[in-house]
Amino acid sequence: MASKAHTGIFCSLHEEKLKLFCVDDKEAVCVVCQTSKKHENHKLRPVQEAAQDYKGELKTALKPLQDKLEFFNKVKKECDKTAKHIKKQAQQTERQIKGEFEKLCQFLRDEEKARIAALRREVEQKGRIMKEKIEKLTREISSLSDTIRVIREEMKAEDIFFLQKYKDTQRRAECTLQDPQCVSGALIDVAEHLGSL
């Protein structure tokens, strides 16, 4: 019984060692397959040579993925910074509102409560928007990281196993994620809360 390490090395049709790679069909073939009608007039190359070329292509394809990952991390960092700034703004604005209303008579105390409530609603709403944005970025960063890790692992496989999975690996390297955008209008509208005071 063949060991697991050799199950993909021999041709399932002719039991010959897979030494060639059909460029037209993107599959490994043996010397008998080479003469078959299926591969007639097809471009054939040694397995090692084909593997080197395709690994080179994937290495090139990895670069934009790594650049995109770096961009996602950069945007996430900005979002984290914005989220912290929102909390800081909320604390500072609440102190200002309370300070101003302390100078006023009892008639204005109800207005103070209304202003703080409005501020907290805005903080909750904008904080929720930023949380959802950060969670989405985290998921997309994780997805990109996993894709890059899997492609790197598959590139380390033996040439024949690498070539047998090449089509799937190539599709995996085509990133469909759109570049992230920072959330516009994310910060607290301080002027609205303090303007009428």
Side-chain angles (χ1 to χ4, degrees), residues 7-193:
T7 55
I9 294 178
F10 291 92
C11 177
S12 60
L13 295 175
H14 309 112
E15 296 184 0
E16 292 285 340
K17 196 166 184 179
L18 297 169
K19 294 183 178 181
L20 299 170
F21 186 74
C22 177
V23 177
D24 296 288
D25 293 331
K26 296 285 191 299
E27 64 181 14
V29 296
C30 71
V31 291
V32 180
C33 293
Q34 177 185 8
T35 61
S36 68
K37 287 183 178 180
K38 180 182 178 185
H39 298 285
E40 187 175 2
N41 297 325
H42 283 190
K43 187 175 182 180
L44 299 167
R45 298 169 69 188
V47 160
Q48 188 176 9
E49 184 181 322
Q52 283 300 112
D53 286 347
Y54 288 131
K55 282 182 181 179
E57 288 179 12
L58 281 179
K59 188 176 181 181
T60 301
L62 270 178
K63 181 64 170 64
L65 287 179
Q66 290 168 329
D67 291 342
K68 190 174 282 287
L69 175 61
E70 184 178 340
F71 184 56
F72 271 83
N73 278 317
K74 182 180 178 181
V75 174
K76 181 179 181 294
K77 187 176 180 181
E78 288 299 316
C79 287
D80 288 333
K81 184 179 177 181
T82 300
K84 289 179 182 178
H85 192 55
I86 287 173
K87 291 181 180 179
K88 185 177 179 181
Q89 277 191 309
Q91 294 168 351
Q92 292 174 341
T93 306
E94 187 168 330
R95 283 197 296 269
Q96 284 179 281
I97 291 172
K98 287 183 176 180
E100 289 296 324
F101 274 99
E102 283 300 322
K103 300 173 185 178
L104 302 176
C105 65
Q106 186 63 44
F107 170 78
L108 294 176
R109 293 199 181 276
D110 290 340
E111 180 68 8
E112 177 187 6
K113 293 177 183 177
R115 290 286 170 189
I116 291 173
L119 169 66
R120 288 176 177 168
R121 281 195 300 273
E122 185 176 354
V123 170
E124 181 181 351
Q125 178 192 15
K126 292 187 174 178
R128 184 171 61 251
I129 291 171
M130 292 309 304
K131 181 181 177 183
E132 291 171 357
K133 176 73 173 179
I134 291 168
E135 287 174 351
K136 182 180 178 185
L137 282 168
T138 300
R139 288 193 300 271
E140 291 172 335
I141 287 169
S142 176
S143 174
L144 272 173
S145 297
D146 287 344
T147 298
I148 291 171
R149 178 182 52 78
V150 170
I151 291 174
R152 282 180 171 161
E153 287 176 0
E154 291 178 357
M155 288 176 67
K156 293 177 184 176
E158 288 185 27
D159 290 346
I160 189 64
F161 297 116
F162 163 75
L163 290 171
Q164 288 173 330
K165 288 186 175 181
Y166 175 70
K167 287 182 184 177
D168 292 335
T169 306
Q170 189 181 39
R171 281 195 296 268
R172 191 178 285 117
E174 297 171 0
C175 183
T176 57
L177 293 175
Q178 293 183 347
D179 288 345
Q181 302 292 327
C182 282
V183 178
S184 59
L187 298 179
I188 301 297
D189 190 345
V190 178
E192 181 181 351
H193 292 286

